[in-house]
Amino acid sequence: MPTELSPTARALRTLEILQSRAAGVTADELAAALGVTERAARRYIGILREAGVPVHSARGPYGGYRLGRGARLPPVVFTEPEALGLVMAVLDGQPAAADPSADDLVGTALGKVIRALPESVGRQAAALREHASAAPDPGASRPDPALTSALVAAGAVRRRVLIAYRSESGNEWEAEVDPWAVVVRYGRWYLLCHSHHADAIRTYRIDRVRAVRETAHGFEMPDDLDPVAVLEENLGRGWAFPTRVVFDAPTAEVLPSIRPPMGRLEPAGDGCVLIGTTRNPTMYAQEWLAQLPLPFRVEGGPELRAAVAVLAARFTAAVAEEP
């Protein structure tokens, strides 16, 4: 650390160190990082506290300093790669945030972050936002931030909730569930939970949740829960139309080509069979089966067989000779 740095610069550097070490930093570690004595390091902690930054301290061999949560948000210090990475992540997930003039909640927040950055870093971040073009994902959904936060908060304290839900067809109902996790998958936000009415795992699109209310009942989280894996597996269950697809290849050869929502792959003789359900046989045929690199036979159900037949006829007609 250069000796010519001013006390203000060292105080800001102290803040940056505290922000990067959520578990805390000892006085001697802080002094070494600043290139000063422990006494001087404690003086910079005092400067931050006088400025309203909530710095907590703990005594003992495992003590040290860490940032707390206070009434005033401490200034956030970004490096240029961090700032540019943040802008890129926002534009990737929320293309509307690219337009500063749009009435977009995330775009407004991004603008505040960019304006709060130091000039050199903020200039690069603003240029990236201005000149990058982001195409919206037609399949993405944006749930209400307050409802999403309520589900996350209830899951964090292991509190059962009552949700009001509206299905894609417009049907509405209430469900009492244990909110295990919120999972983002391909631009859509899902609640993975245990439904007490069905006594089974359920997944709900959070953009279709109309209200959330905590109850007085707690719940236990399943051991070793992998929310993404469980969600993927559960998305292939409980739909109206059954599916059964047979492969002559062994399970190990077929498995890498199967997405979990397509169903459950089981050995069958010298090959294997894919058993599941779908709410949309046409989508199942066009977006999933048509992309499989291996031969297969569709044995069921009748709706999926009909959808595959229509798709096969379209492809056959596409390569037919001119009459």
Side-chain angles (χ1 to χ4, degrees), residues 195-207:
S195 168
H196 287 270
H197 175 74
D199 192 22
I201 298 174
R202 288 290 184 264
T203 55
Y204 294 103
R205 286 264 301 270
I206 299 181
D207 58 306

Side-chain angles (χ1 to χ4, degrees), residues 48-120:
L48 293 178
R49 286 170 171 165
E50 289 177 1
V53 178
V55 181
H56 299 326
S57 59
R59 297 183 180 277
Y62 301 103
Y65 301 104
R66 64 178 179 83
L67 286 179
R69 296 186 178 276
R72 287 191 281 178
L73 182 68
V76 180
V77 180
F78 291 107
T79 65
E80 183 174 312
E82 289 172 342
L84 297 180
L86 177 62
V87 175
M88 292 171 67
V90 171
L91 297 185
D92 182 49
Q94 184 84 345
D99 184 2
S101 62
D103 185 17
D104 179 76
L105 181 68
V106 176
T108 301
L110 179 61
K112 292 179 179 179
V113 171
I114 291 176
R115 287 192 296 272
L117 293 172
E119 182 179 357
S120 59

Side-chain angles (χ1 to χ4, degrees), residues 20-320:
S20 65
R21 304 189 189 185
V25 58
T26 63
D28 61 330
E29 290 173 338
L30 182 59
L34 294 173
V36 299
T37 64
E38 289 189 26
R39 181 177 179 181
R42 287 192 288 270
R43 186 166 63 248
Y44 296 127
I45 293 292
I47 292 174
L48 293 178
R49 286 170 171 165
E50 289 177 1
V53 178
V55 181
H56 299 326
S57 59
R59 297 183 180 277
Y62 301 103
Y65 301 104
R66 64 178 179 83
L67 286 179
R69 296 186 178 276
R72 287 191 281 178
L73 182 68
V76 180
V77 180
F78 291 107
T79 65
E80 183 174 312
E82 289 172 342
L84 297 180
L86 177 62
V87 175
M88 292 171 67
V90 171
L91 297 185
D92 182 49
Q94 184 84 345
D99 184 2
S101 62
D103 185 17
D104 179 76
L105 181 68
V106 176
T108 301
L110 179 61
K112 292 179 179 179
V113 171
I114 291 176
R115 287 192 296 272
L117 293 172
E119 182 179 357
S120 59
V121 178
R123 183 170 58 250
Q124 295 295 323
L128 175 60
R129 182 190 193 188
E130 179 181 354
H131 297 291
S133 298
D137 180 356
S141 65
R142 303 288 175 233
D144 182 274
L147 293 178
T148 306
S149 178
L151 291 170
V152 170
V157 298
R158 305 292 192 265
R159 186 72 65 183
R160 191 183 304 175
V161 297
L162 189 67
I163 63 172
Y165 194 78
R166 178 184 296 165
S167 69
E168 184 179 18
S169 61
N171 295 327
E172 297 188 13
W173 68 87
E174 288 190 336
E176 190 172 13
V177 303
D178 298 339
W180 288 351
V182 169
V183 182
V184 186
R185 179 182 181 274
Y186 300 126
R188 291 181 177 176
W189 293 67
Y190 294 90
L191 172 66
L192 177 67
C193 61
H194 176 265
S195 168
H196 287 270
H197 175 74
D199 192 22
I201 298 174
R202 288 290 184 264
T203 55
Y204 294 103
R205 286 264 301 270
I206 299 181
D207 58 306
R208 295 175 183 163
V209 174
R210 321 311 298 174
V212 177
R213 180 169 60 84
E214 280 194 20
T215 72
H217 304 287
F219 69 89
E220 294 293 329
M221 188 74 73
D223 294 334
D224 301 322
L225 176 68
D226 184 338
V228 175
V230 175
L231 176 82
E232 290 276 4
E233 182 180 355
N234 196 65
L235 286 175
R237 298 177 178 175
W239 300 108
F241 304 108
T243 62
R244 182 180 176 87
V245 183
V246 178
F247 300 85
D248 292 329
T251 302
E253 185 177 341
V254 177
L255 186 59
S257 302
I258 302 300
R259 296 171 56 182
M262 296 175 68
R264 182 180 68 259
L265 198 61
E266 299 180 350
D270 294 332
C272 56
V273 58
L274 179 65
I275 302 172
T277 63
T278 181
R279 69 178 179 87
N280 189 332
T282 299
M283 179 276 297
Y284 195 102
Q286 293 181 356
E287 298 186 15
W288 289 348
L289 292 183
Q291 298 184 36
L292 292 177
L294 300 168
F296 59 86
R297 300 186 308 279
V298 179
E299 293 187 349
E303 297 83 5
L304 180 59
R305 286 177 57 84
V308 170
V310 171
L311 182 62
R314 283 175 51 199
F315 280 125
T316 300
V319 296

